[in-house]
Amino acid sequence: MSGAKLYGLMAEFEDPTALVDATRRAREEGFTKLDAYSPYPIEALTEALDIHDRKLPAVVLGGGILGGLAGYALCYWCSVIEYPLNVGGKPFHSAPAFIIPTFETTILFAAFAAVLGMLGLNGLPMPYHPVFNVPRFALASRDRFFLCIEAKDPKFDHDDTWAFLTKLGPRVVMDVEE
Amino acid sequence: MKSTVDSQQSTAGGPDIAEARTKLGQLRGREYWRSLEELLETEDFREHLHREFRVPIESAVNRRELLTLMGASIALAGLTGCTRQPTERIFPYVKAPEELVPGEPLFYATAHVHGGYARGILAKSYEGRPVKIEGNELHPASLGGTDVFAQGSILNMYDPDRSQTLTERGQIRPWSALLAAARLALEKERAGRGAGIRFLTGTITSPTLEKQIGEVLAAFPEAKWVAWEPAGRDNVARGALLAFGEPVEPRYAFDRADVVLSLEADFLGSGPAMPRYVRDFVSRRKAEGTNRLYAVESTPTLTGAKADHRRPMSPAEIEAFATAVAVAVGAIASAAVTNQFVEAVAADLEAHRGSGLVLVGESQPPSVHALAHAINETLGNAGKTVTYSGPVAGGPADQAEAFAGLVKDMESGKVSTLVIVEGNPVFTAPADLGFAKAMEKVGLRIHLGLYDDETSRLCHWHVAQAHPLEAWSDARAFDGTVTILQPLIAPLFGGKSAHELLAAFSDQPERTGHDIVKDYWNGRLPGADFELAWRKALHDGLVAGSAYPAKPVRVRQDFFKSEIRNPKSDIGLTLLFRPDPTIWDGTYANNGWLQELAKPLTKLTWDNAALIAPSTAQKLGLTTEDVVELTLDGRKVEAPVWVMPGQAENCVTVHFGYGRTRGGRVADGKGFDAYALRSSNALWAGLGLEIRKTLRRATLATTQHQYGMEGRDPVRAVTAEEYRKDPAVVARMGEQPPGPKDTLYPTLPTGSYAWGLSIDLSSCVGCNACVIACQSENNIPVVGKEEVARGRALQWIRVDRYYKGGLDNPETVHQPVTCMHCENAPCEVVCPVNATVHSAEGLNQMVYNRCVGTRYCSNNCPYKVRRFNFFLYTDYTTEILKMVRNPDVTVRSRGVMEKCSYCVQRINRARYAAEKEDRPIKDGEIVTACQQACPAQAITFGNVSDPESRVSKAKAESRNYGLLTELGTRPRTTYLALLSNPNPALPAANKAGEGHGGHD
Amino acid sequence: MTERTPTPPAEKPATPPGAILAPGYTFTTLTDKLASIALSRRTPVVWFLGAAVGFGLTMMLLATITYLVFKGVGIWGVNVPVGWGFDILNFVWWIGIGHAGTLISAILLLLRQPWRNSINRFAEAMTIFAVACAGLYPLLHTGRPWLDYWLLPYPNTMGMWPNFRSPLVWDVFAVSTYATVSLLFWYVGMIPDLATLRDRAKKLWAKVLYGALAMGWRGSARHWQRYETASLLLAGLATPLVISVHSVVSFDFAAGVVPGWHSTIFPPYFVAGAIYAGFAMVLTLAIPLRKVYGLEDFITMKHLDNMAKILLATSLIVAYGYGVEAFMASYSGNVYERYVMWNRMNGPYHYMYWALLFCNVIAPQALWFRKVRRNIPALFCLAMIVNVGMWLERYVIIVVSLSRDFLPSSWGMYHGTRFDWSMFLGTIGLFIALLFLFIRMLPMISIFEMRAILPEAKIREEEA
């Protein structure tokens, strides 16, 4: 092991069940600063780590409302306040017509909120992350499943944790350097 | 001559430097050269010397090299200093003429001379630049109305194809050279007392010109004056001669006629008094007391379209019919085939003694004219609805005869000097005479004309003519009233007037047109003070009291040669010749506006066609656009077929004026030359026509493919009887509009001005004057045949033509359609950029510079009155065409929508005037271009929020209806239903199945 | 270290009829096979042929556009009364095609239809490219295309604003929103697969390119959780959006007064038509693709069968639309409405109407038969027929209605000029070119979603 600072320990598993299993065990063990990596979304894993993030829907709702208000305001301001014109004898405030741009802006803003919100909350884009230092981690996007316990974890002790992880029957356990 | 032109092309162009060097090499000692041109002795240089020093030159230069010459004269500017040129200085106004306010138009009264006869016009001029023709209320032939030719004539003046120089054999010559030539010719002729001199003119009504010619003829007694008008009125004169023994001309008072019988007389469509007659006729076409018109004709005309009863008949049948009517009313004693129609007409005429009227068209033989005179006399109409006066036109009474005589003289070599004043006889002469060939036998041939045309090609001398708006002249109207034509602008191309040309053959050759005309009238005008009278005559546009007095005449008893002509049914096909409705005899062939104007009945543009009755076409297995070969007396012409509803059976009509070969860029190669089939003994109708179908098909560009109304009622027509009984009948026709309560939207308040238009379909005769007036007023470009064929015509107002009833003799109705300026305009709602919006005064405004051209508005316009610039139609490059444009109206560029604006520029002018004087705009103060031009006064424009305005009164009539009001568009343009007054004794026109389909 | 070249199972058992994925695949083999299309595998000759055609036609498109901008829309057949021809009709046609993509990726996702996983990616791509082609037309159909930006609400010296009552402005909002959202959805959906490509790439440029696009995705469970939420929300947004877009497009006509346009059934009828056209196009693309790239294991008969069924269903909806149009016309008693129908059936363009009925109503009925649904050539032909049929439908709606509206005097005819055609073929070329680039550069099948449907992806609960 080189002198580089340790980020945590990583265990590689062959199949999803093992990972979910390991994750559960790790949490029962009392580890809190840990994360699991899989090549596709696994709901069981979310429960195992019991992640309950309800921010995103709120963000999207906010975006939608903002978009709606902005859209209608635009229509109204242009056609009623800024430059009212007699167009085909229609009233300046032609509400039914304004609904459509309003609807579209609602969707647009909400969609942006969803995407940017997701990226933002996930802290993406993030070109560098310690886990990438593990060569085998490249397989996380292919066919392998990884559990990583961070050194920040209060219960973390290199040797104990290493032993614990080995107990979970991983394919291999590796150091993750910063 | 062509060859010389070509040889010139080679020498034209800049000097050759390489050649110059070699020549310089050869120079020895103190030899100076002033320019490469001199050094190389180029054409340009010698040409220059000629102009500067009158050095005789052998090389010919044709007018297309004017520019090259200019180039040279600039190159040699150094020289011009040392020549004997009079120095001309220009000055700005020291005291500006008070009447000339920049931006304010001025109107000058003058006349438009058509077929020799004058119609009073007012020419509108901006800073000395005439841009628009309007009618002259004071003038008896106009009464404020105009026709398409008067409206279009302004474009001819600015025509870039007009001949621009005086040439001899294609070489540019100074005026003095022509004078010399004329002198020489006269000297030669003096011995023979002018036996070899001939003056060939069109129909001449100009007193001054008549006097001038008269003077020449006095000096040369053997000389002759021959007149040839392709659409001449010989038959009228002959008919009068036959009936009365003297060549009087009939004049009609339609405003006093209750019953009118027209025998092939298209008094509503053409003729010397068209605008006047239309006005008089429709003045009796109102709900209270409607006149009745019977029309008998072989080819459909606007008169027939307006008739309450129309019967298509071949010329022979018409003659028989006239005889029968004459017999029935006791005008002549003879046997005649009679029928229900004859009896009904006769009875109707009898019942309206003194207020009936029978008239005959130029194309009918003299005998029919005579019969009409007899009928009118018998029924006591003479002196009431028809009066007679001496002939208005000067020159030989019988033009055709004189013309034929001239050609004979030419062939026999009797003619040594031929002076052709206006007209284009080489093109318009009857084919059998062989005028063009005979020309070659004439020693000296001089032609005065607006264009370097077919005739000038065969003439030694061609004199560029000054346009009537550029020169002084005078002319008589149909009733003899004299108008003095005054120029509004100096001749654009330094042209000469007929007077100035004639002066060349007098002993004062250098006199100006102004002096000639003014001197003639000096002492002839009413009033003590000539200057005053002169000014008044110019101002009014007519010489007061110059109309010919009515002349009492009696019909000779023995005029009727009593051989009963039974219309033989086996005479085969008859070919009828008529002047073209829009380019006349070819005079207006190079006029884009008139070429693109849809013919009133066929709605055809840019072409003429062989009009064939549906039944005949069926018999011959022909359809529209088939190309056929017409053969008459061995002369062949290929023409496209047009199946013409209402055309007389076995009659084929061709319009002459097309098929120009040297008429200008617009005219050449359009249509076919019908003159090629016309012979001097059958000017109007040729028997024994043969038709051979070719395998080719032609494309004809028409603006309206559909014949019928497809079970809809854009045009609502009722009989005066029905209407009087129940005025609400019009309102009940068609779909009902939604009521004012049937909307969720609050109706926006209308201001003190709310502009609206009313079009009276009873008055409208479909003459198209409004279309050209609009085109001229609103700078509407010409798009060309291909674009029209693609459905891209650009005129803002169109006159729709619908047929009702069977194809053989349908009722024909016309409906002018402008922008409706809907209060709830469908076009506005769909425009994404607010380029078309509503003004506070209810105008549907088109904002050109905001338009991006989605064409959505046009799609959503139920009336399809919007027009789109699919290409850059406006000519931005031809300088002279910029002069014809109305400075008050934006010139549209490519990619923008345009449409009728209710002449908003005129509305605004009126507004400025009113605001200056701090008063509201008066009713009738705003006159739209279409309204002004309309001879029938069918169009009324004004403020609909003022219940007292004329337009409000018109809209208040129960005849009033709007187009497609069921859509809730609430159009501001509305119509007054068409009233007809059929004879109850006759069955209504056959209602057999609608004229379906058309050809699309 | 486990860098095996992709080796599908040696003895390959036949795919059972109901399966949406051939048996015998593991995370490894699946990933390698799909990733290799973009990364290692040799580009098949067919690709070059297709791309050549695509780019060739695209050049023609550019030439046409240049001439168009230089001369004006007059080079097309448009006129008065027919102010819109190929331009708007192709716009509607392309937009319609786009819709299936969104439908598959969004609506089927909400409905939790796992079979969509193998086709949604290129269906979405198809959407975006179709919208790109569609977008060209409204931009270029104006008389002065360089002023198109006037349709956008932006402060300007003229002090003018767009007319928010105009369906064309609605179009601007709807179509631009649609394009944007589709693009976002597509990109977000690709992030995990881009990460895969990043990790599998050997060439530096590929590593850099995919690495940048993957934005450092590392498959953390926390990320997956938000990612899934975001995808669901986007799907939830895209679904009403896709409905609204074609409704708005239909307003271009329904909001007009032209008989044959002014009809309340248009929005649903257009949306159904769009889905119909879209699925036809998906089939048209999927069938050759699976052959060329040997993707029969991922795009199975099951997929084709399902799409065929949807095709059948939507064809019935569309048929109902035609029926209602005809019925309302006669029932309304409105002379203009009646004439429009009469004219469609007997007028100068009648052959178009009957051809459209055959393509969109008669022909698809063959899909009632399982035999036909599972006969690939037949399916392909039917899809083609429907593509043509939907084009004819728009022709009939737009051109034929305009050619004869209220005043007989103004009736006219419309014929596409050679520039109309070169523009149309050009956009088809552009579509092909973009699609081929996509296939070559990006994972055309969603790898991570495919992994999720592998049997080994199941969590064996009893162990927990």
mmCIF file with all atom_site columns, all heavy atoms in Angstrom, chain B residues 448-459:
data_model
loop_
_atom_site.group_PDB
_atom_site.id
_atom_site.type_symbol
_atom_site.label_atom_id
_atom_site.label_alt_id
_atom_site.label_comp_id
_atom_site.label_asym_id
_atom_site.label_entity_id
_atom_site.label_seq_id
_atom_site.pdbx_PDB_ins_code
_atom_site.Cartn_x
_atom_site.Cartn_y
_atom_site.Cartn_z
_atom_site.occupancy
_atom_site.B_iso_or_equiv
_atom_site.pdbx_formal_charge
_atom_site.auth_seq_id
_atom_site.auth_comp_id
_atom_site.auth_asym_id
_atom_site.auth_atom_id
_atom_site.pdbx_PDB_model_num
ATOM 1  N N   . LEU B 1 448 ? -44.770 57.461 -87.833 1.00 0.00 ? 448 LEU B N   1
ATOM 2  C CA  . LEU B 1 448 ? -44.772 58.083 -86.516 1.00 0.00 ? 448 LEU B CA  1
ATOM 3  C C   . LEU B 1 448 ? -45.465 57.119 -85.552 1.00 0.00 ? 448 LEU B C   1
ATOM 4  O O   . LEU B 1 448 ? -46.610 56.723 -85.799 1.00 0.00 ? 448 LEU B O   1
ATOM 5  C CB  . LEU B 1 448 ? -45.531 59.415 -86.545 1.00 0.00 ? 448 LEU B CB  1
ATOM 6  C CG  . LEU B 1 448 ? -45.776 60.064 -85.183 1.00 0.00 ? 448 LEU B CG  1
ATOM 7  C CD1 . LEU B 1 448 ? -44.514 60.734 -84.679 1.00 0.00 ? 448 LEU B CD1 1
ATOM 8  C CD2 . LEU B 1 448 ? -46.907 61.087 -85.265 1.00 0.00 ? 448 LEU B CD2 1
ATOM 9  N N   . GLY B 1 449 ? -44.778 56.728 -84.506 1.00 0.00 ? 449 GLY B N   1
ATOM 10 C CA  . GLY B 1 449 ? -45.418 55.783 -83.598 1.00 0.00 ? 449 GLY B CA  1
ATOM 11 C C   . GLY B 1 449 ? -44.724 55.740 -82.251 1.00 0.00 ? 449 GLY B C   1
ATOM 12 O O   . GLY B 1 449 ? -43.555 56.121 -82.130 1.00 0.00 ? 449 GLY B O   1
ATOM 13 N N   . LEU B 1 450 ? -45.470 55.254 -81.252 1.00 0.00 ? 450 LEU B N   1
ATOM 14 C CA  . LEU B 1 450 ? -44.903 55.143 -79.895 1.00 0.00 ? 450 LEU B CA  1
ATOM 15 C C   . LEU B 1 450 ? -43.840 54.053 -79.848 1.00 0.00 ? 450 LEU B C   1
ATOM 16 O O   . LEU B 1 450 ? -42.925 54.101 -79.042 1.00 0.00 ? 450 LEU B O   1
ATOM 17 C CB  . LEU B 1 450 ? -46.007 54.806 -78.899 1.00 0.00 ? 450 LEU B CB  1
ATOM 18 C CG  . LEU B 1 450 ? -46.851 55.950 -78.361 1.00 0.00 ? 450 LEU B CG  1
ATOM 19 C CD1 . LEU B 1 450 ? -47.952 55.413 -77.456 1.00 0.00 ? 450 LEU B CD1 1
ATOM 20 C CD2 . LEU B 1 450 ? -45.992 56.943 -77.601 1.00 0.00 ? 450 LEU B CD2 1
ATOM 21 N N   . TYR B 1 451 ? -43.996 53.065 -80.716 1.00 0.00 ? 451 TYR B N   1
ATOM 22 C CA  . TYR B 1 451 ? -43.098 51.921 -80.665 1.00 0.00 ? 451 TYR B CA  1
ATOM 23 C C   . TYR B 1 451 ? -42.398 51.731 -82.001 1.00 0.00 ? 451 TYR B C   1
ATOM 24 O O   . TYR B 1 451 ? -42.937 52.071 -83.047 1.00 0.00 ? 451 TYR B O   1
ATOM 25 C CB  . TYR B 1 451 ? -43.867 50.643 -80.310 1.00 0.00 ? 451 TYR B CB  1
ATOM 26 C CG  . TYR B 1 451 ? -44.422 50.656 -78.910 1.00 0.00 ? 451 TYR B CG  1
ATOM 27 C CD1 . TYR B 1 451 ? -45.668 51.185 -78.655 1.00 0.00 ? 451 TYR B CD1 1
ATOM 28 C CD2 . TYR B 1 451 ? -43.670 50.158 -77.853 1.00 0.00 ? 451 TYR B CD2 1
ATOM 29 C CE1 . TYR B 1 451 ? -46.172 51.213 -77.361 1.00 0.00 ? 451 TYR B CE1 1
ATOM 30 C CE2 . TYR B 1 451 ? -44.174 50.182 -76.567 1.00 0.00 ? 451 TYR B CE2 1
ATOM 31 C CZ  . TYR B 1 451 ? -45.420 50.715 -76.325 1.00 0.00 ? 451 TYR B CZ  1
ATOM 32 O OH  . TYR B 1 451 ? -45.915 50.742 -75.048 1.00 0.00 ? 451 TYR B OH  1
ATOM 33 N N   . ASP B 1 452 ? -41.214 51.176 -81.931 1.00 0.00 ? 452 ASP B N   1
ATOM 34 C CA  . ASP B 1 452 ? -40.510 50.749 -83.128 1.00 0.00 ? 452 ASP B CA  1
ATOM 35 C C   . ASP B 1 452 ? -41.089 49.384 -83.492 1.00 0.00 ? 452 ASP B C   1
ATOM 36 O O   . ASP B 1 452 ? -40.566 48.346 -83.116 1.00 0.00 ? 452 ASP B O   1
ATOM 37 C CB  . ASP B 1 452 ? -39.009 50.641 -82.814 1.00 0.00 ? 452 ASP B CB  1
ATOM 38 C CG  . ASP B 1 452 ? -38.215 50.226 -84.037 1.00 0.00 ? 452 ASP B CG  1
ATOM 39 O OD1 . ASP B 1 452 ? -38.840 49.942 -85.074 1.00 0.00 ? 452 ASP B OD1 1
ATOM 40 O OD2 . ASP B 1 452 ? -36.978 50.176 -83.933 1.00 0.00 ? 452 ASP B OD2 1
ATOM 41 N N   . ASP B 1 453 ? -42.215 49.408 -84.199 1.00 0.00 ? 453 ASP B N   1
ATOM 42 C CA  . ASP B 1 453 ? -43.019 48.192 -84.334 1.00 0.00 ? 453 ASP B CA  1
ATOM 43 C C   . ASP B 1 453 ? -42.923 47.590 -85.739 1.00 0.00 ? 453 ASP B C   1
ATOM 44 O O   . ASP B 1 453 ? -42.051 47.950 -86.531 1.00 0.00 ? 453 ASP B O   1
ATOM 45 C CB  . ASP B 1 453 ? -44.475 48.507 -83.975 1.00 0.00 ? 453 ASP B CB  1
ATOM 46 C CG  . ASP B 1 453 ? -45.017 49.643 -84.839 1.00 0.00 ? 453 ASP B CG  1
ATOM 47 O OD1 . ASP B 1 453 ? -44.410 49.900 -85.895 1.00 0.00 ? 453 ASP B OD1 1
ATOM 48 O OD2 . ASP B 1 453 ? -46.020 50.264 -84.445 1.00 0.00 ? 453 ASP B OD2 1
ATOM 49 N N   . GLU B 1 454 ? -43.855 46.669 -86.022 1.00 0.00 ? 454 GLU B N   1
ATOM 50 C CA  . GLU B 1 454 ? -43.851 45.976 -87.311 1.00 0.00 ? 454 GLU B CA  1
ATOM 51 C C   . GLU B 1 454 ? -43.831 46.969 -88.459 1.00 0.00 ? 454 GLU B C   1
ATOM 52 O O   . GLU B 1 454 ? -43.148 46.762 -89.470 1.00 0.00 ? 454 GLU B O   1
ATOM 53 C CB  . GLU B 1 454 ? -45.095 45.081 -87.421 1.00 0.00 ? 454 GLU B CB  1
ATOM 54 C CG  . GLU B 1 454 ? -45.115 43.904 -86.453 1.00 0.00 ? 454 GLU B CG  1
ATOM 55 C CD  . GLU B 1 454 ? -45.670 44.266 -85.085 1.00 0.00 ? 454 GLU B CD  1
ATOM 56 O OE1 . GLU B 1 454 ? -45.808 45.469 -84.794 1.00 0.00 ? 454 GLU B OE1 1
ATOM 57 O OE2 . GLU B 1 454 ? -45.947 43.343 -84.298 1.00 0.00 ? 454 GLU B OE2 1
ATOM 58 N N   . THR B 1 455 ? -44.588 48.043 -88.313 1.00 0.00 ? 455 THR B N   1
ATOM 59 C CA  . THR B 1 455 ? -44.675 49.013 -89.410 1.00 0.00 ? 455 THR B CA  1
ATOM 60 C C   . THR B 1 455 ? -43.367 49.780 -89.574 1.00 0.00 ? 455 THR B C   1
ATOM 61 O O   . THR B 1 455 ? -42.844 49.897 -90.680 1.00 0.00 ? 455 THR B O   1
ATOM 62 C CB  . THR B 1 455 ? -45.830 50.009 -89.135 1.00 0.00 ? 455 THR B CB  1
ATOM 63 O OG1 . THR B 1 455 ? -47.029 49.261 -88.998 1.00 0.00 ? 455 THR B OG1 1
ATOM 64 C CG2 . THR B 1 455 ? -45.963 50.991 -90.270 1.00 0.00 ? 455 THR B CG2 1
ATOM 65 N N   . SER B 1 456 ? -42.828 50.244 -88.458 1.00 0.00 ? 456 SER B N   1
ATOM 66 C CA  . SER B 1 456 ? -41.604 51.048 -88.599 1.00 0.00 ? 456 SER B CA  1
ATOM 67 C C   . SER B 1 456 ? -40.468 50.205 -89.164 1.00 0.00 ? 456 SER B C   1
ATOM 68 O O   . SER B 1 456 ? -39.549 50.728 -89.785 1.00 0.00 ? 456 SER B O   1
ATOM 69 C CB  . SER B 1 456 ? -41.213 51.643 -87.247 1.00 0.00 ? 456 SER B CB  1
ATOM 70 O OG  . SER B 1 456 ? -41.464 50.729 -86.227 1.00 0.00 ? 456 SER B OG  1
ATOM 71 N N   . ARG B 1 457 ? -40.549 48.900 -88.972 1.00 0.00 ? 457 ARG B N   1
ATOM 72 C CA  . ARG B 1 457 ? -39.511 48.045 -89.527 1.00 0.00 ? 457 ARG B CA  1
ATOM 73 C C   . ARG B 1 457 ? -39.473 48.172 -91.039 1.00 0.00 ? 457 ARG B C   1
ATOM 74 O O   . ARG B 1 457 ? -38.417 48.094 -91.651 1.00 0.00 ? 457 ARG B O   1
ATOM 75 C CB  . ARG B 1 457 ? -39.776 46.577 -89.137 1.00 0.00 ? 457 ARG B CB  1
ATOM 76 C CG  . ARG B 1 457 ? -38.498 45.739 -89.073 1.00 0.00 ? 457 ARG B CG  1
ATOM 77 C CD  . ARG B 1 457 ? -38.790 44.285 -88.723 1.00 0.00 ? 457 ARG B CD  1
ATOM 78 N NE  . ARG B 1 457 ? -38.657 43.418 -89.885 1.00 0.00 ? 457 ARG B NE  1
ATOM 79 C CZ  . ARG B 1 457 ? -39.647 43.017 -90.655 1.00 0.00 ? 457 ARG B CZ  1
ATOM 80 N NH1 . ARG B 1 457 ? -40.875 43.440 -90.413 1.00 0.00 ? 457 ARG B NH1 1
ATOM 81 N NH2 . ARG B 1 457 ? -39.454 42.205 -91.669 1.00 0.00 ? 457 ARG B NH2 1
ATOM 82 N N   . LEU B 1 458 ? -40.651 48.396 -91.635 1.00 0.00 ? 458 LEU B N   1
ATOM 83 C CA  . LEU B 1 458 ? -40.718 48.484 -93.094 1.00 0.00 ? 458 LEU B CA  1
ATOM 84 C C   . LEU B 1 458 ? -40.687 49.932 -93.579 1.00 0.00 ? 458 LEU B C   1
ATOM 85 O O   . LEU B 1 458 ? -40.996 50.205 -94.738 1.00 0.00 ? 458 LEU B O   1
ATOM 86 C CB  . LEU B 1 458 ? -41.989 47.798 -93.598 1.00 0.00 ? 458 LEU B CB  1
ATOM 87 C CG  . LEU B 1 458 ? -42.090 46.290 -93.329 1.00 0.00 ? 458 LEU B CG  1
ATOM 88 C CD1 . LEU B 1 458 ? -43.341 45.718 -93.975 1.00 0.00 ? 458 LEU B CD1 1
ATOM 89 C CD2 . LEU B 1 458 ? -40.853 45.577 -93.829 1.00 0.00 ? 458 LEU B CD2 1
ATOM 90 N N   . CYS B 1 459 ? -40.387 50.853 -92.681 1.00 0.00 ? 459 CYS B N   1
ATOM 91 C CA  . CYS B 1 459 ? -40.361 52.258 -93.083 1.00 0.00 ? 459 CYS B CA  1
ATOM 92 C C   . CYS B 1 459 ? -38.929 52.772 -93.075 1.00 0.00 ? 459 CYS B C   1
ATOM 93 O O   . CYS B 1 459 ? -38.102 52.332 -92.286 1.00 0.00 ? 459 CYS B O   1
ATOM 94 C CB  . CYS B 1 459 ? -41.206 53.103 -92.143 1.00 0.00 ? 459 CYS B CB  1
ATOM 95 S SG  . CYS B 1 459 ? -42.953 52.794 -92.368 1.00 0.00 ? 459 CYS B SG  1
#
